[in-house]
Amino acid sequence: MAEVRLEHVTKRFSEDVAALDDLTLEVADGEFLILVGPSGCGKTTALRLVAGLEKPTSGAIAIGGRIVNDVTPRDRDIAMVFQNYALYPHMTVHRNLAFGLKERRTPKPEIERRVREASAILGLDDLLGRRPAQLSGGQRQRVAMGRALVREPKAFLLDEPLSNLDAKLRVQMRAELKRIHQRLGITTIYVTHDQVEAMTLGDRIVVMSNGRVQQIGKPQEVYRRPQNLFVAGFIGSPPMNLLRGRCADGSIRLGDLDLPWSGPDAAEVAVGFRPEDLRPAGDGGPSLEFVVDVVEPLGNEVVVHGTTAGTAVESGAEEEAEIPLVAEGARAAITAVFAPADEPAPGDHMRLGIVPDRVHLFDLHTREAIGR
């Protein structure tokens, strides 16, 4: 095991295209770090640079304290799991697991020990004699993971390994990955565009956009305290509601909503509130009017789409957000999450209450969060 460091790493594919722009990042020994962001944000490029499949335009990459910019992928002592399983179709599971070790001339008793250990960890004992065509998608992914495990590398690099699985298998494999990491404690860098994977798997997450880091922190910290509009709009499903407002005379005002404010006056701010922080008003606290358009019952909760007075603010992360409803005139589309007992009907007019401490403010010019 070893720490991984990227220091001021830039990767350009042309003078005008920077896939990564001055990326500095440290992954602690044994940490599970997630790189998350929309397509084209640079997360896979960062992973390929660590693996040695790409060379940085500038900056330094170190694994275990050793600069590896000019070290071949074979000699970096890392193992990578790709989105596609990349298994040899003519080989059994046992031979797929052992192949890389044989190529490295590992002694046969050691190969057998590592294969058996990885097989036991991943529940592959009954599948060792099968070929990939005889396996389900989840089983193939476990074999791909096993092939990385038997290497006993300093670090794991995983590039969207669960994206080809159906929803149920993704949940199972997420739990399996977390269990493996807790057991082995190998330094892991995991790339995904799926924020659910990021929130549930990572010790820390790195939110990226346009080749730059937007925020680094523990998943709940990033969720509760987004540092800018991009992170606010990207992390969360459904995404945070963002409306144009102003701060004046000790109040935050948008539409007919009036919230207490102790900071300086600001003529243009983005006011953010998460869908799950909105509830049917009933206690006389701060509230805004809401017209229900679409209701989505999900069993344990109800997602409600509708409109309110105001103007929506774009976070810059809309390619990963749900498609918003079209709001006409001076109305903005927002989303709320209710308990099943509070399910409204399309066309209902109601008021939504919100706790002032759950509101986020962002400067519309710098797009950075405003402390409260």
Side-chain angles (χ1 to χ4, degrees), residues 133-263:
Q134 299 171 301
L135 304 176
S136 68
Q139 290 168 338
R140 293 179 194 179
Q141 192 61 70
R142 278 188 280 155
V143 175
M145 284 294 301
R147 194 167 53 185
L149 277 177
V150 298
R151 291 272 311 281
E152 298 183 356
K154 288 182 179 177
F156 280 146
L157 308 179
L158 292 87
D159 188 7
E160 303 201 41
L162 308 185
S163 59
N164 288 336
L165 305 180
D166 62 38
K168 184 177 181 180
L169 276 176
R170 279 201 301 272
V171 173
Q172 293 174 347
M173 284 303 299
R174 280 205 310 266
E176 196 67 47
L177 282 171
K178 199 156 191 174
R179 190 177 298 112
I180 291 168
H181 184 262
Q182 289 171 348
R183 179 171 175 177
L184 302 179
I186 296 176
T187 305
T188 302
I189 305 176
Y190 186 107
V191 161
T192 183
H193 67 276
D194 186 331
Q195 58 179 286
V196 175
E197 290 180 16
M199 295 291 290
T200 56
L201 284 172
D203 296 323
R204 288 188 302 155
I205 63 176
V206 180
V207 183
M208 299 181 65
S209 176
N210 296 321
R212 288 181 171 270
V213 171
Q214 301 297 312
Q215 187 169 352
I216 303 175
K218 294 181 179 181
Q220 287 298 326
E221 175 187 320
V222 173
Y223 183 81
R224 291 171 181 162
R225 288 182 288 277
Q227 291 181 355
N228 57 43
L229 275 172
F230 178 87
V231 177
F234 182 78
I235 297 295
S237 182
M240 183 182 289
N241 299 299
L242 295 165
L243 301 179
R244 187 179 295 270
R246 62 190 179 94
C247 299
D249 303 322
S251 295
I252 302 169
R253 296 171 182 167
L254 70 153
D256 65 347
L257 179 65
D258 201 330
L259 298 168
W261 168 245
S262 58

Side-chain angles (χ1 to χ4, degrees), residues 262-335:
S262 58
D265 289 355
E268 289 187 307
V269 296
V271 182
F273 41 89
R274 295 208 175 274
E276 59 269 28
D277 292 331
L278 294 172
R279 290 289 184 272
D283 57 4
S287 65
L288 51 79
E289 62 88 22
F290 182 63
V291 179
V292 178
D293 286 329
V294 177
V295 178
E296 297 178 326
L298 299 178
N300 64 323
E301 63 185 16
V302 179
V303 178
V304 184
H305 303 277
T307 61
T308 190
T311 304
V313 173
E314 292 186 358
S315 69
E318 268 62 32
E319 66 228 76
E320 291 294 324
E322 295 178 0
I323 299 173
L325 298 173
V326 176
E328 298 180 355
R331 296 192 67 79
I334 65 171
T335 304

